[in-house]
Amino acid sequence: MISLTDSQKIGMGLTGFGVFFLFFGMVLFFDKALLAIGNILFVAGLAFVIGLERTFKFFFQRHKFKATSFFLGGVVVVLIGWPIIGVVLEIYGFFLLFRGFFPVAIGFIRRVPVLGSILNLPGISGVSITFICCV
């Protein structure tokens, strides 16, 4: 079992609430306030989980400049008050930032009993393999 420090536990909670508020904000027709709260909680939670220094190193690497610009630009656009445009920018930046993690996550999900059998279905398997190769 992985042991977490208190700040990492707080970070997991903040990140979880951030994802919840982002999802709930999208379900409620891109509510500006919920999306803004979700963005702030998600980024703060990420900083708590991996540490402030590693968060800055992750976001501000030279080869991730475009992805960071889109993601943080989307956060700013949501905070300004244009939620749909901001969320589109954030999603694009999120996929660019975490594209190296997606093959690892899909490989892990393939080993989970119920989810693995779903990912190995003929149509879904082809899509997930294409997603891994193209990312």
Side-chain angles (χ1 to χ4, degrees):
M1 182 169 201
I2 300 172
S3 62
L4 298 174
T5 64
D6 287 340
S7 64
Q8 288 175 328
K9 291 176 186 176
I10 292 169
M12 293 296 290
L14 289 174
T15 304
F17 277 118
V19 170
F20 171 75
F21 277 106
L22 286 170
F23 175 74
F24 203 54
M26 284 190 261
V27 167
L28 292 176
F29 303 113
F30 294 94
D31 183 48
K32 291 185 280 191
L34 290 175
L35 290 173
I37 292 170
N39 284 326
I40 292 169
L41 289 175
F42 180 78
V43 173
L46 187 64
F48 269 95
V49 170
I50 65 174
L52 199 57
E53 182 180 346
R54 289 180 65 192
T55 301
F56 279 115
K57 284 182 181 179
F58 175 76
F59 277 110
F60 297 111
Q61 295 174 9
R62 186 173 300 273
H63 67 280
K64 291 185 179 182
F65 180 72
K66 178 181 172 184
T68 300
S69 299
F70 274 102
F71 183 75
L72 295 179
V75 171
V76 169
V77 169
V78 167
L79 291 175
I80 288 173
W82 295 332
I84 296 174
I85 296 169
V87 168
V88 169
L89 291 174
E90 282 180 41
I91 290 172
Y92 181 66
F94 182 83
F95 279 116
L96 289 179
L97 276 171
F98 295 101
R99 66 180 167 194
F101 176 71
F102 291 129
V104 175
I106 290 176
F108 175 77
I109 292 171
R110 283 186 187 274
R111 290 192 295 266
V112 174
V114 175
L115 298 176
S117 60
I118 292 172
L119 276 181
N120 287 328
L121 292 173
I124 298 173
S125 176
V127 171
S128 64
I129 290 172
T130 304
F131 184 72
I132 290 173
C133 294
C134 295
V135 173

